[in-house]
């Protein structure tokens, strides 16, 4: 009996030792399309927390174009990584990314932007965590409608800038969600103007929005929607350059990372009225943990997880961030 107990104990010790040695061998990549964007930095930050907690190595790579994505995946393969999480610069690269991952024997999951097939349909085999884009867009639209009413504006006199990036399905769902609420509340369709951005950053949105404002110089009150805070900030900066006062602009973004926070921290309110705060903790920490569980314990992640958001304004964002555990 004593012998058996000793054997069991020894076995337990051996198993523990094997697990921790294995955790140290786990290497997971986290590839993002725009490493300079605060949202992606936050995702990395929370992925790092998971790596520390579980004792695996996290390799963070910025890949702004298809070529960089390909070499990032090869690089991870050469380094002996077992899997990666990716927010790709172009969802149409989907089949190519999957082939590259397979060639390097890497498990993969996507975050934020879901890969599509050649026909534009979502690739459902690859585990994905994204935001509930339509619902979050609707929250944007509702807060704009509420504020329009509060300010007593006549919707017929208001223009809406639709900062668009229509090659990305989640971007379409977000802006269409917002605009559907505006239209349902009587916002005239003819007053909605498309501002297609070449890239999903503030500068591209500023350029696109300036064109809209110059073409419609007769409209003096504006609202703006876009796929993220950067898009809406671009529209806000554009209104400032053409001399539209901050209280004649209602821009509501999506994100809630530093781009929005820095705007809320300004001593006086700008046209950036609010944002729907989404969770970099879920998208960074949880995806990294999911990948770790897959690599280390063979537990496959859910095929599709859609996360929620919460509207925040200048005077409520701190409380909302606290609530979401992302201070
Ligand atoms: C997309 C956007 C990012 C962020 C993310 C959740 O990737 O480009 O700004 O909103 O979805």
């Amino acid at each position: 009996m004593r012998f058996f107990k000793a054997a069991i104990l020894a076995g337990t010790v051996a198993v523990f030792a094997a697990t921790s040695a294995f955790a140290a061998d786990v290497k997971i990549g986290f590839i993002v399309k725009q490493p300079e964007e605060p949202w992606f930095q936050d995702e990395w930050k929370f992925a790092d927390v998971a790596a520390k907690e579980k004792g695996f190595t996290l390799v963070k790579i910025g890949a702004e174009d298809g070529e960089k994505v390909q070499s990032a995946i090869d690089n991870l393969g050469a380094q002996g990584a077992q899997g990666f999480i990716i927010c790709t610069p172009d969802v149409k690269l989907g089949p190519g990314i999957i082939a590259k991952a397979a060639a390097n024997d890497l498990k993969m999951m996507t975050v934020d932007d879901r890969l599509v097939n050649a026909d534009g349909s979502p690739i459902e085999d690859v585990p994905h965590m994204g935001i509930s884009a339509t619902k979050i867009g609707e929250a944007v639209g509702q807060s704009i409608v509420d504020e329009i009413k509060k300010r007593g504006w006549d919707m017929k006199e208001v223009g809406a800038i639709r900062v668009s990036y229509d090659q990305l399905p989640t971007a379409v769902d977000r802006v269409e969600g917002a605009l559907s609420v505006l239209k349902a509340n009587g916002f005239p369709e003819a007053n909605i103007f498309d501002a297609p951005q070449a890239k999903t950053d503030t500068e591209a949105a500023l350029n696109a929005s300036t064109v809209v404002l110059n073409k419609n110089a007769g409209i003096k009150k504006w609202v703006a929607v876009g796929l993220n805070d950067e898009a809406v900030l671009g529209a806000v900066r554009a209104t400032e350059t053409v001399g539209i006062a901050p209280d004649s602009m209602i821009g509501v973004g999506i994100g809630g990372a530093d781009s929005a926070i820095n705007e809320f921290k300004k001593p006086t309110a700008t046209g950036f009225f609010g944002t729907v705060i989404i969770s970099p903790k879920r998208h960074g920490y949880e995806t990294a943990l999911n990948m770790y569980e897959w690599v280390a314990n063979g537990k496959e992640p859910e095929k599709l997880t859609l996360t929620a958001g919460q509207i925040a304004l200048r005077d409520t964002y701190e409380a909302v961030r606290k609530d979401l555990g992302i201070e």
Side-chain angles (χ1 to χ4, degrees):
M1 191 62 203
R2 206 175 278 159
F3 168 78
F4 275 124
K5 260 191 191 158
I8 289 166
L9 268 177
T12 317
V13 171
V15 168
F16 271 134
T19 316
S20 55
F22 187 61
D25 289 341
V26 173
K27 198 178 257 189
I28 291 168
F30 205 119
I31 306 171
V32 304
K33 62 177 179 180
Q34 268 162 278
E36 77 289 351
E37 189 183 307
W39 164 260
F40 294 109
Q41 286 167 16
D42 281 354
E43 272 185 349
W44 274 350
K45 187 180 91 186
F46 284 108
D48 267 331
V49 174
K52 225 173 169 180
E53 214 173 277
K54 293 290 177 185
F56 63 86
T57 305
L58 186 79
V59 185
K60 291 168 277 189
I61 309 173
E64 293 91 343
D65 58 46
E67 226 176 281
K68 287 196 180 130
V69 169
Q70 300 278 330
S71 61
I73 299 171
D74 281 339
N75 206 296
L76 287 168
Q79 285 187 51
Q82 297 91 349
F84 66 91
I85 298 132
I86 183 168
C87 178
T88 174
D90 179 357
V91 290
K92 287 193 208 71
L93 297 170
I97 294 175
I98 292 170
K100 254 287 177 247
N104 283 284
D105 199 17
L106 291 162
K107 295 184 168 38
M108 68 172 286
M109 63 181 291
T110 52
V111 70
D112 303 338
D113 299 352
R114 198 177 191 194
L115 303 178
V116 299
N117 291 299
D119 64 2
S121 62
I123 295 182
E124 290 171 352
D125 280 352
V126 176
H128 175 70
M129 182 184 286
I131 67 167
S132 352
T134 303
K135 254 186 127 172
I136 285 172
E138 286 165 0
V140 167
Q142 193 56 54
S143 76
I144 292 177
V145 165
D146 291 347
E147 188 59 17
I148 287 179
K149 288 183 180 160
K150 203 168 152 200
R151 294 186 190 183
W153 290 2
D154 176 357
M155 295 215 194
K156 288 195 279 311
E157 292 174 5
V158 184
I161 304 175
R162 174 188 188 271
V163 180
S164 60
Y165 193 72
D166 287 348
Q167 58 266 57
L168 181 61
T170 182
V172 177
D173 293 346
R174 296 177 199 186
V175 294
E176 286 308 315
L179 294 173
S180 71
V181 175
L182 259 70
K183 286 183 266 187
N185 281 276
F187 197 95
E189 184 129 26
N191 293 9
I192 300 171
F193 304 96
D194 208 29
Q197 52 180 166
K199 209 184 150 196
T200 54
D201 63 8
T202 300
E203 196 190 340
L206 164 63
N207 294 336
S209 303
T210 305
V211 175
V212 168
L213 292 171
N214 286 338
K215 267 198 195 151
N216 299 281
I219 302 179
K220 303 296 179 198
K221 293 189 185 83
W222 287 91
V223 302
V225 301
L227 97 155
N228 58 15
D229 289 331
E230 285 72 14
V232 171
L233 279 170
V236 170
R237 295 291 92 87
T239 54
E240 288 163 358
T241 24
V242 302
I244 287 165
D247 59 3
S248 296
M249 168 65 159
I250 305 168
V252 177
I254 294 170
D258 269 351
S259 315
I261 294 172
N262 291 337
E263 196 69 11
F264 290 144
K265 276 188 180 154
K266 289 182 175 171
T268 52
T270 70
F272 189 82
F273 178 72
T275 183
V276 177
I277 302 188
I278 51 179
S279 176
K281 188 175 177 184
R282 295 207 62 193
H283 288 229
Y285 175 84
E286 224 174 282
T287 53
L289 201 65
N290 288 346
M291 181 53 76
Y292 173 79
E293 288 296 332
W294 196 4
V295 169
N297 304 319
K299 191 170 166 252
E300 249 193 80
E302 294 282 329
K303 289 286 189 222
L304 183 63
T305 308
L306 297 178
T307 61
Q310 216 170 307
I311 188 78
L313 310 179
R314 208 176 138 80
D315 54 350
T316 60
Y317 79 93
E318 277 167 324
V320 175
R321 276 172 64 81
K322 210 170 181 179
D323 204 33
L324 294 171
I326 51 170
E327 292 165 275

